């Protein structure tokens, strides 16, 4: 391999006995986010003739971590030429998601699910987040036609949620049938119930992992907050009537907003150990959930937070334009529209004719 294209990197001459040591050092350096040093090890291995799947995918991940999406995409495809697994497709989906290309992202996710045996638990969480975006962007019939593996995953998730509800219903029914037993029989039944509960918990955990999504996180936080307020309803009001994020936020006194739960979710996203691009993507996805529930104030909290991270993100700006129009605020919609990297006249016409 010609070294001239890597003049800025330190290329070592590797002995056969050092190959495995260099491979392990690449993993360690990546974990420590010492990407330049990791790249030097990879190129040294390339130079010694070791151009395999693992090294190519390592290089793709390094380029992605440095937000060099073009080279990350290139090396993800190069790795797929040597070995077809789900991980490169997940990385490609992340690249396309960061670039707001939902169609390409959906295609990559569909391929990743086709090879789902290679998907780890961590990758599964990434898949769930991006699948929610696809589910919100396309009608079910379009997903079934263009992305059959995504459609299958959605069906499995729905079945998992149904299984969860069914198991809870069975447990409640069983509890009701044992209420009339005497004390000795109740003790015996408690032992049986406890054994069954452990088995049910394992089944529920399996079902819940398949249905893990942003919406579940939202529902869990809302439920937890609701229980807390019920226990302390004499000290705190049941709901707040305004949500203020920035000076530009719209206040609607007629729409009650549970600020505590919203802030818990928002802070959780901001504190995640992910890139700012990933945070923007997730904030928009959560906003979409509230948007579909016509809870525009809560949706705007998340959109304004994404806007505070990157005021030039096109996807966030488009969503802010839309939510401003739904709240009959043309002035604010125009303000967001003209902030886009390239002003979209079609969008301006939409605002004008709204």
């Amino acid at each position: 391999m010609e070294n001239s294209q890597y003049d800025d990197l330190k290329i070592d001459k590797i002995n056969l006995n050092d190959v495995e040591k260099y491979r392990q050092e690449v993993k360690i350096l990546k974990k420590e986010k010492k990407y330049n040093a990791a790249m030097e090890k990879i190129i040294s291995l390339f130079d010694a003739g070791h151009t395999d799947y693992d090294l190519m995918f390592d290089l793709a991940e390094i380029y992605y971590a440095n937000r060099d999406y073009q080279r990350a995409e290139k090396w993800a495809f190069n790795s797929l030429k040597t070995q077809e697994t789900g991980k490169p497709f997940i990385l490609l989906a992340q690249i396309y998601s960061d670039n707001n290309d939902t169609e390409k992202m959906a295609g990559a996710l569909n391929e990743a699910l086709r090879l789902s045996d290679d998907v780890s638990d961590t990758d599964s969480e990434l898949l769930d987040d991006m699948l929610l975006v696809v589910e919100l962007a396309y009608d079910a019939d379009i997903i079934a036609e263009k992305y059959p593996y995504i459609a299958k995953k959605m069906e499995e998730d729905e079945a998992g949620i149904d299984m969860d509800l069914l198991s809870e219903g069975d447990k409640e029914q069983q509890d009701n049938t044992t209420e009339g037993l005497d004390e000795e029989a109740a003790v015996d039944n408690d032992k049986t119930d406890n054994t069954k509960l452990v088995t049910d918990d394992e089944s529920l955990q399996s079902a819940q992992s398949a249905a893990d999504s942003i919406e579940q996180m939202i529902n869990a936080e809302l439920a937890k907050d609701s229980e807390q307020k019920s226990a302390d309803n004499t000290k705190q009001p049941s709901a707040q009537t305004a949500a203020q994020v920035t000076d530009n936020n719209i206040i609607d006194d007629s729409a009650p907003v549970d600020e505590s739960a919203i802030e818990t979710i928002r802070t959780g996203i901001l504190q995640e150990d992910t890139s700012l691009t990933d945070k923007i993507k997730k904030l928009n996805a959560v906003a979409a959930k509230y948007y579909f529930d016509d809870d525009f104030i809560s949706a705007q909290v998340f959109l304004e937070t994404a806007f505070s991270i990157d005021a030039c993100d096109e996807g966030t700006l488009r969503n802010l334009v839309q939510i401003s129009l739904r709240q009959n605020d043309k002035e604010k919609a125009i303000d967001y529209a003209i902030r886009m990297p390239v002003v979209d006249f079609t969008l301006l016409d939409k605002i004008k004719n709204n």
Side-chain angles (χ1 to χ4, degrees):
M1 176 181 294
E2 294 290 338
N3 289 343
S4 60
Q5 58 180 317
Y6 306 111
D7 289 339
D8 294 333
L9 298 175
K10 179 177 175 291
I11 309 302
D12 297 330
K13 294 295 182 181
I14 301 178
N15 296 323
L16 184 61
N17 295 333
D18 294 332
V19 171
E20 188 58 33
K21 182 186 76 171
Y22 267 63
R23 289 182 182 275
Q24 292 303 318
E25 288 176 350
V26 168
K27 302 298 183 187
I28 294 172
L29 291 168
K30 279 179 58 186
K31 187 175 182 180
E32 295 175 348
K33 298 183 179 180
K34 298 178 180 177
Y35 298 126
N36 195 67
M39 190 178 296
E40 289 178 346
K41 301 292 183 183
I42 294 172
I43 302 305
S44 296
L45 287 163
F46 281 178
D47 197 51
H50 300 279
T51 53
D52 52 61
Y53 165 84
D54 289 330
L55 293 176
M56 290 181 180
F57 186 64
D58 282 337
L59 193 56
E61 288 189 312
I62 289 172
Y63 279 128
Y64 177 78
N66 285 287
R67 295 297 180 256
D68 187 343
Y69 295 136
Q70 185 175 359
R71 289 187 175 89
E73 181 185 33
K74 171 188 173 183
W75 284 101
F77 277 119
N78 284 343
S79 69
L80 286 168
K81 291 176 183 177
T82 60
Q83 183 179 337
E84 191 177 55
T85 71
K87 289 184 71 66
F89 283 114
I90 294 175
L91 181 61
L92 287 167
Q94 289 178 269
I95 294 170
Y96 300 139
S97 175
D98 289 354
N99 288 320
N100 297 314
D101 192 334
T102 304
E103 185 174 4
K104 282 188 176 182
M105 181 190 74
L109 288 175
N110 193 63
E111 289 302 300
L113 289 171
R114 180 174 64 84
L115 303 163
S116 58
D117 290 343
D118 301 306
V119 176
S120 67
D121 291 341
T122 302
D123 290 336
S124 181
E125 293 179 5
L126 285 172
L127 274 172
D128 287 339
D129 289 347
M130 290 186 285
L131 286 171
L132 177 60
V133 177
V134 175
E135 187 175 352
L136 294 173
Y138 297 104
D139 292 335
D141 55 345
I142 294 177
I143 293 176
E145 179 183 353
K146 297 181 65 175
Y147 313 112
Y149 291 96
I150 292 179
K152 180 181 178 183
K153 177 68 164 57
M154 290 168 56
E155 291 175 0
E156 291 173 351
D157 286 354
E158 185 175 352
I161 295 173
D162 291 341
M163 185 187 303
D164 187 358
L165 296 174
L166 181 60
S167 297
E168 290 294 334
D170 289 343
K171 180 178 178 298
E172 183 178 354
Q173 182 178 4
Q174 182 177 1
D175 290 343
N176 291 336
T177 59
T178 60
E179 287 180 357
L181 298 177
D182 58 45
E183 182 177 355
E184 182 178 355
V187 171
D188 292 337
N189 280 331
D190 282 342
K191 295 179 181 178
T192 303
D193 289 344
N194 289 337
T195 302
K196 183 178 185 301
L197 183 58
V198 172
T199 304
D200 284 347
D201 283 344
E202 293 173 352
S203 299
L204 289 174
Q205 288 173 3
S206 176
Q208 287 166 346
S209 65
D212 187 24
S213 66
I214 294 174
E215 185 171 1
Q216 285 186 326
M217 178 184 72
I218 293 171
N219 291 336
E221 292 294 345
L222 290 175
K224 181 173 67 175
D225 189 73
S226 176
E227 291 174 2
Q228 181 179 355
K229 289 192 174 185
S230 296
D232 195 22
N233 57 9
T234 62
K235 296 182 180 180
Q236 298 185 20
S238 60
Q240 300 294 327
T241 58
Q244 185 169 358
V245 180
T246 69
D247 292 337
N248 290 329
N249 195 39
I250 295 174
I251 304 296
D252 183 357
D253 292 335
S254 65
V257 176
D258 195 337
E259 287 184 339
S260 178
I262 298 300
E263 182 60 21
T264 298
I265 299 167
R266 190 185 75 89
T267 303
I269 295 173
L270 293 177
Q271 291 178 347
E272 288 181 1
D273 185 19
T274 58
S275 68
L276 293 179
T277 303
D278 290 337
K279 289 181 173 65
I280 290 171
K281 177 191 69 177
K282 184 168 287 189
L283 287 164
N284 273 269
V286 176
K289 189 268 180 188
Y290 286 104
Y291 179 86
F292 273 90
D293 291 340
D294 291 333
D295 185 352
F296 302 135
I297 291 178
S298 298
Q300 186 156 347
V301 169
F302 293 98
L303 291 177
E304 292 282 3
T305 304
F307 177 76
S308 71
I309 296 174
D310 183 357
C312 296
D313 182 73
E314 182 175 346
T316 300
L317 288 169
R318 286 185 179 277
N319 290 336
L320 282 166
V321 169
Q322 178 62 23
I323 206 166
S324 297
L325 290 177
R326 290 297 301 271
Q327 297 178 97
N328 299 316
D329 193 334
K330 283 189 177 182
E331 184 177 349
K332 182 171 287 187
I334 293 173
D335 181 57
Y336 287 127
I338 63 177
R339 290 172 182 262
M340 293 180 62
V342 178
V343 177
D344 186 339
F345 285 9
T346 303
L347 191 60
L348 292 178
D349 282 341
K350 179 180 179 181
I351 297 171
K352 181 179 179 181
N353 297 324
N354 185 68

